[in-house]
Amino acid sequence: MTTQTSLLRTTLVVTIAVLIGAGSLWLHFTRQRGEPGFTAGTLPACDSSYTRKLLRQTIEQAPASRAVGLQVLRLGFMRHHFDGVRNTSQLPARVCEAEIFANAGRRTLGFSLEWTCAEKDEVWLSIPQLPW
């Protein structure tokens, strides 16, 4: 094997490695960011991990919950009741129910998921039964 063939082979390998590395970086920096488990345009399921996280945050960050020091210990069952359309916005909405275990006791709460805008890239979770 000559030195020229070896140099050509090394250059080819390095070039391919650089292209693969550049492609990987491009994919990493251009993929869509957002919450894990959330896809824009698709209303999350009642029992999805995204909904569970959003429900916990909504309860714990509500002013009434903060005033009494309410903390969610865990979430039990989560059920889907029905899908509908909001009268005012004509956007899809989903009505759900969840069992909440908190430092103030166990409770079953109804909540709804709906889009905040026509782009369907942000979800609003509403719990009418708060405060606890």
Side-chain angles (χ1 to χ4, degrees):
M1 185 180 284
T2 65
T3 308
Q4 190 175 19
T5 307
S6 179
L7 181 61
L8 181 61
R9 187 173 288 158
T10 302
T11 304
L12 183 62
V13 169
V14 168
T15 303
I16 290 172
V18 167
L19 289 174
I20 290 172
S24 297
L25 286 173
W26 179 79
L27 286 174
H28 175 73
F29 288 112
T30 60
R31 76 174 177 215
Q32 185 175 357
R33 301 287 186 231
E35 290 287 327
F38 175 73
T39 304
T42 304
L43 204 54
C46 292
D47 62 348
S48 71
S49 61
Y50 178 78
T51 302
R52 286 180 173 273
K53 179 180 175 186
L54 191 60
L55 179 63
R56 180 182 291 265
Q57 286 177 343
T58 302
I59 293 170
E60 290 181 344
Q61 293 176 7
S65 298
R66 290 179 135 187
V68 297
L70 184 71
Q71 291 181 339
V72 175
L73 303 175
R74 76 177 184 89
L75 300 174
F77 69 82
M78 294 182 81
R79 292 187 189 133
H80 176 262
H81 279 278
F82 66 90
D83 290 337
V85 175
R86 294 299 272 179
N87 292 337
T88 54
S89 65
Q90 294 300 309
L91 292 171
R94 179 164 288 148
V95 177
C96 309
E97 178 183 44
E99 181 181 38
I100 314 296
F101 294 90
N103 59 348
R106 183 186 141 274
R107 195 148 209 208
T108 301
L109 298 177
F111 66 95
S112 66
L113 295 165
E114 57 191 88
W115 297 114
T116 60
C117 59
E119 288 78 27
K120 298 180 182 177
D121 59 357
E122 186 177 50
V123 176
W124 178 265
L125 188 142
S126 175
I127 308 170
Q129 291 106 334
L130 283 181
W132 197 260

